[in-house]
Amino acid sequence: MPENDELPTATTLLDTVQAELRGVLAAVDATSLDTLATVLRHARRIFVAGEGRSGFMAKAFAMRLMHLGLSVHVVGETTTPAVAAGDTVVAVSGSGTTAGTVRVAEAAVKAGAEVHAVTTAPDSPLGTLAASALLLPAATKYRRPGEAPSVQPLSSLFDQATHVTLDVVALRLANLLEVDNERARTAHANTE
């Protein structure tokens, strides 16, 4: 086991994680962020889907969309209605092969909904089902060619990039919908 003085310091790790995230975000096509914001602005109802930490990122995005006044649901929650024709689904999977997320996308397409993927792999099963893909070239647990290298475990870099880019999509939506912080705050939970 290495001595403590041989381990990277917290400062070094913070610098490394910042550099990794900065590299991924620099490679994101800003047009795809605008495209997703425009799609969501005109969506009748929005559903988000994802498994594991990707699911947590999807839920965080759903919460922000709710703050902006959009009709949004999280797939798998007990109060989530059926997906129908004309609905929009945002499906998050770094690999694009997560079985549950791909099944959601397949069912959504079959119901007549439009799927938009957040993934590292546009040619994956999820990516090929999607009307558009927000490509985040970040490391996943598979460490496939084309993914950014990372010192972080599993899909941490993808999860971080997903959170930041979907917050940028929400910020673009807030601008388009003219929702400022005060207006968004009125939709924030008041039962805490």
Side-chain angles (χ1 to χ4, degrees), residues 101-186:
T101 306
V102 172
R103 276 193 304 276
V104 166
E106 289 169 341
V109 168
K110 186 176 180 182
E114 188 173 80
V115 174
H116 297 272
V118 179
T119 186
T120 66
D123 296 330
S124 66
L126 177 61
T128 58
L129 283 165
S132 74
L134 172 52
L135 176 60
L136 303 179
T140 65
K141 61 187 170 197
Y142 298 107
R143 300 300 200 261
R144 294 178 172 148
E147 294 179 0
S150 180
V151 299
Q152 300 178 72
L154 303 170
S155 64
S156 288
L157 184 56
F158 174 76
D159 301 328
Q160 294 155 359
T162 297
H163 183 75
V164 171
T165 56
L166 290 180
D167 265 358
V168 169
V169 170
L171 185 56
R172 280 295 287 141
L173 269 167
N175 293 332
L176 293 168
L177 297 170
E178 298 180 359
V179 177
D180 63 11
N181 190 62
E182 286 305 308
R183 186 167 153 206
R185 196 166 60 111
T186 64

Side-chain angles (χ1 to χ4, degrees), residues 2-161:
E3 296 295 321
N4 281 342
D5 59 348
E6 295 175 23
L7 296 174
T9 66
T11 300
T12 301
L13 292 172
L14 279 171
D15 290 344
T16 301
V17 169
Q18 286 179 44
E20 288 180 2
L21 186 55
R22 193 175 309 112
V24 171
L25 295 178
V28 173
D29 175 20
T31 304
S32 63
L33 301 177
D34 282 329
T35 298
L36 185 56
T38 299
V39 165
L40 297 177
R41 178 183 186 190
H42 299 292
R44 181 174 72 102
R45 293 188 308 174
I46 302 162
F47 293 78
V48 300
E51 299 290 326
R53 285 173 51 123
S54 292
F56 290 139
M57 299 306 107
K59 284 182 177 184
F61 185 51
M63 182 180 187
R64 194 60 73 222
L65 295 178
M66 178 274 298
H67 291 148
L68 298 178
L70 299 173
S71 176
V72 61
H73 304 280
V74 176
V75 172
E77 296 294 324
T78 56
T79 59
T80 301
V83 173
D87 289 335
T88 301
V89 176
V90 177
V92 182
S93 170
S95 67
T97 61
T98 307
T101 306
V102 172
R103 276 193 304 276
V104 166
E106 289 169 341
V109 168
K110 186 176 180 182
E114 188 173 80
V115 174
H116 297 272
V118 179
T119 186
T120 66
D123 296 330
S124 66
L126 177 61
T128 58
L129 283 165
S132 74
L134 172 52
L135 176 60
L136 303 179
T140 65
K141 61 187 170 197
Y142 298 107
R143 300 300 200 261
R144 294 178 172 148
E147 294 179 0
S150 180
V151 299
Q152 300 178 72
L154 303 170
S155 64
S156 288
L157 184 56
F158 174 76
D159 301 328
Q160 294 155 359

